[in-house]
Amino acid sequence: MKKVSDKRKVQLIEYKQLKKEWFEDENNQFCYACCTLKHYHPDATPTRNLCIHHTFGRENKLLNDTSKWKTLCFFHNNFVETSTNWARENGLKFK
């Protein structure tokens, strides 16, 4: 059995390029939660250890839908997964 379907492999190749372009844009080089929502925490890193958070999930076409992406630091990416109500209230989780 294949671990990744051929369709998903194509999506992942596109995702790699979109991710590179995303972080090249200076508007995406800071944590949305730290800098826009002003949600501060001592472990947060507003401009380092950044990742893409998929606000509607990563299933199928959502993986590469950049209109549903937010840049988060590693701390806030984990925080969103464990604090679902806060994430929904602040527009970081819709699923």
Side-chain angles (χ1 to χ4, degrees), residues 31-42 44 46 73 75-76 79-80 83 86 90 92:
C31 174
Y32 178 80
C34 291
C35 300
T36 303
L37 299 176
K38 309 294 187 206
H39 185 261
Y40 300 115
H41 187 276
C73 66
F75 169 81
H76 277 109
F79 185 78
V80 163
S83 305
W86 181 89
N90 288 282
L92 292 170

Side-chain angles (χ1 to χ4, degrees), residues 2-75:
K2 292 183 187 180
K3 289 185 180 185
V4 178
S5 71
D6 292 338
K7 182 179 176 181
R8 191 61 166 186
K9 282 181 187 178
V10 171
Q11 289 175 329
L12 289 170
I13 291 167
E14 181 183 1
Y15 176 72
K16 184 177 179 179
Q17 181 60 36
L18 289 171
K19 182 178 175 180
K20 180 179 181 279
E21 292 169 6
W22 179 264
F23 286 120
E24 287 173 352
D25 182 340
E26 65 184 37
N27 294 317
N28 300 322
Q29 296 178 359
F30 59 88
C31 174
Y32 178 80
C34 291
C35 300
T36 303
L37 299 176
K38 309 294 187 206
H39 185 261
Y40 300 115
H41 187 276
D43 294 333
T45 54
T47 59
R48 295 184 331 234
N49 302 320
L50 300 175
C51 53
I52 293 171
H53 173 66
H54 298 77
T55 58
F56 283 78
R58 301 169 55 107
E59 294 83 20
N60 303 312
K61 293 180 181 179
L62 291 173
L63 177 69
N64 293 326
D65 185 348
T66 59
S67 70
K68 307 215 180 347
W69 290 6
K70 295 285 187 200
T71 302
L72 294 179
C73 66
F74 185 74
F75 169 81

